[in-house]
Amino acid sequence: MAAMTAEEIRQGLAKLEPNVHWAHHFDLGHGIETVSPEAGRFYRKAIGLNELGALFPSVLRGYMGRSSFTGLRCLDLGSAEGAHSIMMAQDGAHEVIGLDGRQLYVDRASFVAKAKGLDNVRFGVADVRSLDVASLGQFDFVLCSGLLHHLNKDAFLGFTRSLFDLTGDTLMLYTHVSSEWVANKFKLTPSEPLDGGYTGALYQEHEEDSTPEQRIAQVRASLDNVYSFWASEESLVKRFVDLGFRSIVKLYEPAFQKTFIERVFRGIWILRRSAP
Ligand SMILES: C[S@@+](CC[C@H](N)C(=O)[O-])C[C@H]1O[C@@H](n2cnc3c(N)ncnc32)[C@H](O)[C@@H]1O
């Protein structure tokens, strides 16, 4: 595929709602970046999100006994603008599928993949609460970053079941969990346990009277649900044990951001179908 010219890249970006800040940082060549240092906190956040991808080599090596994604089938749920999918594709994955509920994000991610000449990654719009798991099939590596804690309570059991069913080998999960400290800090509302006794609390994402358009415009938030369910850490782990994961490891990297307690509630887990 011929590389895009600077003019083609600029024209493409101009069609992708340039007034909405990009969440993921890409260097598209010709000195063009999707978000640049002048964007201040948006830039710092975008660079910070790459840290999760910086863990890929040690996760591959340490848990899957591999030196790269070469040949793997990978799924990125809640892929947003595709930074993590693109990393997997550039590292040689056989196929990467990124799914997100926001059309703008899927359009942006698809544009970046095209600009980078990648043909082993594709993006699609999907609500992860109603995935067609049977037709997607299983993936060697599933990434679920920053998504689970945006889903409503009624979706918890079904979505975690989908995560298990979609994972052929390894799931990398980044999510928030609730605790008394978190409940105070984020003004979480108490919630009755789910079937199976899984506990958690509710986080308000949108105003009760907000419109569907206003909710979609909050690009990093839930698609439509006003409240999302943050499971307690114990229930989150119990749920994945109950589903059948045989190995669950929590990572404390990237190194401490802010305080230890904040690092603990923004957790990264590596879950595997097979025992070590
Ligand atoms: C906080 S962002 C995380 C994005 C990305 N994985 C990352 O680590 O930067 C949450 C993403 O989940 C998407 N999302 C939220 N609810 C969703 C749903 N029900 N189905 C599909 N995508 C959803 C949002 O559009 C957004 O892109």
Side-chain angles (χ1 to χ4, degrees), residues 177-190 201-203 230 265:
V177 288
S178 61
S179 65
E180 210 179 307
W181 182 88
V182 175
N184 283 330
K185 182 169 168 81
F186 292 94
K187 301 184 174 51
L188 303 186
T189 312
L202 304 180
Y203 172 72
W230 294 14
F265 95 85

Side-chain angles (χ1 to χ4, degrees), residues 29-41:
H30 311 281
I32 305 172
E33 295 168 284
T34 52
V35 50
S36 50
E38 301 81 71
R41 67 189 168 92

Side-chain angles (χ1 to χ4, degrees), residues 148-168:
L148 178 59
H149 59 263
H150 289 296
L151 304 183
N152 44 306
K153 183 179 175 185
D154 290 348
F156 181 79
L157 296 179
F159 179 65
T160 48
R161 156 70 59 193
S162 299
L163 284 177
F164 180 71
D165 291 343
L166 289 162
T167 302

Side-chain angles (χ1 to χ4, degrees), residues 23-24 45-46 49-50 52 76-84 99-103 105 124-131 143-152 155 159 174 205 216 218-225:
H24 289 179
K45 192 132 196 240
L49 287 171
N50 287 339
L52 190 89
D76 182 3
L77 292 168
S79 46
E81 293 156 352
H84 302 124
L99 298 175
D100 199 279
R102 286 188 164 81
Q103 184 71 55
Y105 272 178
V125 176
D127 185 333
V128 300
R129 295 167 295 186
S130 50
L131 291 175
L143 176 68
C144 180
S145 165
L147 171 66
L148 178 59
H149 59 263
H150 289 296
L151 304 183
N152 44 306
F159 179 65
Y174 165 65
E205 303 233 3
I216 278 292
Q218 297 296 320
V219 282
R220 303 286 291 166
S222 66
L223 295 184
D224 50 24
N225 43 296

Side-chain angles (χ1 to χ4, degrees), residues 237-250:
V237 174
K238 181 176 183 305
R239 174 64 179 155
F240 287 121
V241 171
D242 291 347
L243 282 164
F245 282 105
R246 304 276 310 283
S247 164
I248 302 179
V249 175
K250 183 171 184 181

Side-chain angles (χ1 to χ4, degrees), residues 63-244:
Y63 302 97
M64 300 176 79
R66 309 182 60 92
S67 56
S68 74
F69 281 105
T70 301
L72 298 188
R73 189 163 191 254
C74 304
L75 178 66
D76 182 3
L77 292 168
S79 46
E81 293 156 352
H84 302 124
S85 299
I86 300 261
M87 287 179 194
M88 297 181 219
Q90 288 180 321
D91 194 38
H94 170 68
E95 178 187 22
V96 184
I97 298 178
L99 298 175
D100 199 279
R102 286 188 164 81
Q103 184 71 55
L104 172 64
Y105 272 178
V106 168
D107 291 345
R108 284 181 172 183
S110 304
F111 174 75
V112 173
K114 191 171 168 207
K116 291 186 174 288
L118 294 167
D119 58 8
N120 56 344
V121 55
R122 63 191 158 90
F123 297 93
V125 176
D127 185 333
V128 300
R129 295 167 295 186
S130 50
L131 291 175
D132 185 349
V133 173
S135 41
L136 281 166
Q138 283 200 324
F139 295 81
D140 302 298
F141 183 87
V142 176
L143 176 68
C144 180
S145 165
L147 171 66
L148 178 59
H149 59 263
H150 289 296
L151 304 183
N152 44 306
K153 183 179 175 185
D154 290 348
F156 181 79
L157 296 179
F159 179 65
T160 48
R161 156 70 59 193
S162 299
L163 284 177
F164 180 71
D165 291 343
L166 289 162
T167 302
D169 190 292
T170 298
L171 165 66
M172 184 169 179
L173 173 72
Y174 165 65
T175 194
H176 297 178
V177 288
S178 61
S179 65
E180 210 179 307
W181 182 88
V182 175
N184 283 330
K185 182 169 168 81
F186 292 94
K187 301 184 174 51
L188 303 186
T189 312
S191 167
E192 289 297 311
L194 284 160
D195 285 351
Y198 307 109
T199 60
L202 304 180
Y203 172 72
Q204 183 163 7
E205 303 233 3
H206 304 284
E207 295 296 327
E208 299 267 6
D209 59 359
S210 54
T211 63
E213 293 73 25
Q214 286 169 329
R215 293 179 194 179
I216 278 292
Q218 297 296 320
V219 282
R220 303 286 291 166
S222 66
L223 295 184
D224 50 24
N225 43 296
V226 171
Y227 293 95
S228 48
F229 180 69
W230 294 14
S232 67
E233 186 163 8
E234 183 177 355
S235 287
L236 183 79
V237 174
K238 181 176 183 305
R239 174 64 179 155
F240 287 121
V241 171
D242 291 347
L243 282 164

